[in-house]
Amino acid sequence: MTPLEDEREARVLLNMAGEPGHARLAHLFSELGPTELVADLRSGREEGGGELAHRLNAIDPQATLRVAARAGLRFVIPGDEEWPTSLDELQLAPSIHDRAGPPLGVWLRGPGHFREICEGAVAVVGSRSATT
């Protein structure tokens, strides 16, 4: 397995087991990297990771990726040719409501090239009385 495949599996695990953008997890992720963070959580070296470690151990990332591929899905991560590097700038954004950092990866379906799709994209995001 290549280092990028190892990283993809670790990111799939963290994506499925943790809350998106959780500030503490994002901090540990940027400090340790995905594969070391998964190893630390699974081994119990990371304090407070018990429930997350339990969820990590219940997930088979290779099976998840195989099932996704059969459904026409792919998990794009930094390092992939189609990853839009503009997403990496989210690392500089401050934490809001205990959420921070760029996505661990993005699940995509369809033939579009993610970076090309994002080049001309505009997002309007908002909600009334949003909760955290």
Side-chain angles (χ1 to χ4, degrees):
M1 191 169 337
T2 70
L4 190 61
E5 290 170 329
D6 287 339
E7 182 175 339
R8 186 178 324 280
E9 286 187 13
R11 286 174 179 263
V12 165
L13 281 165
L14 293 166
N15 179 262
M16 294 179 70
E19 290 293 321
H22 188 274
R24 179 166 155 34
L25 193 57
H27 172 73
L28 290 170
F29 183 88
S30 66
E31 203 173 88
L32 301 172
T35 53
E36 189 174 336
L37 177 56
V38 167
D40 280 6
L41 288 167
R42 281 184 163 165
S43 71
R45 288 187 301 245
E46 189 51 54
E47 185 178 326
E51 177 60 31
L52 188 56
H54 178 72
R55 284 184 267 168
L56 286 172
N57 290 326
I59 299 166
D60 179 348
Q62 292 176 350
T64 299
L65 289 166
R66 280 193 305 272
V67 169
R70 284 194 299 269
L73 298 165
R74 64 194 185 281
F75 192 66
V76 178
I77 65 170
D80 286 335
E81 189 270 327
E82 67 177 302
W83 180 260
T85 54
S86 57
L87 286 178
D88 299 332
E89 294 173 18
L90 291 172
Q91 187 66 41
L92 305 173
S95 175
I96 299 174
H97 299 293
D98 197 33
R99 299 290 178 248
L104 299 172
V106 178
W107 289 101
L108 299 170
R109 184 175 188 175
H113 187 279
F114 192 30
R115 183 183 299 194
E116 291 172 5
I117 291 168
C118 290
E119 283 177 3
V122 175
V124 178
V125 180
S127 179
R128 295 184 195 166
S129 300
T131 63
T132 56

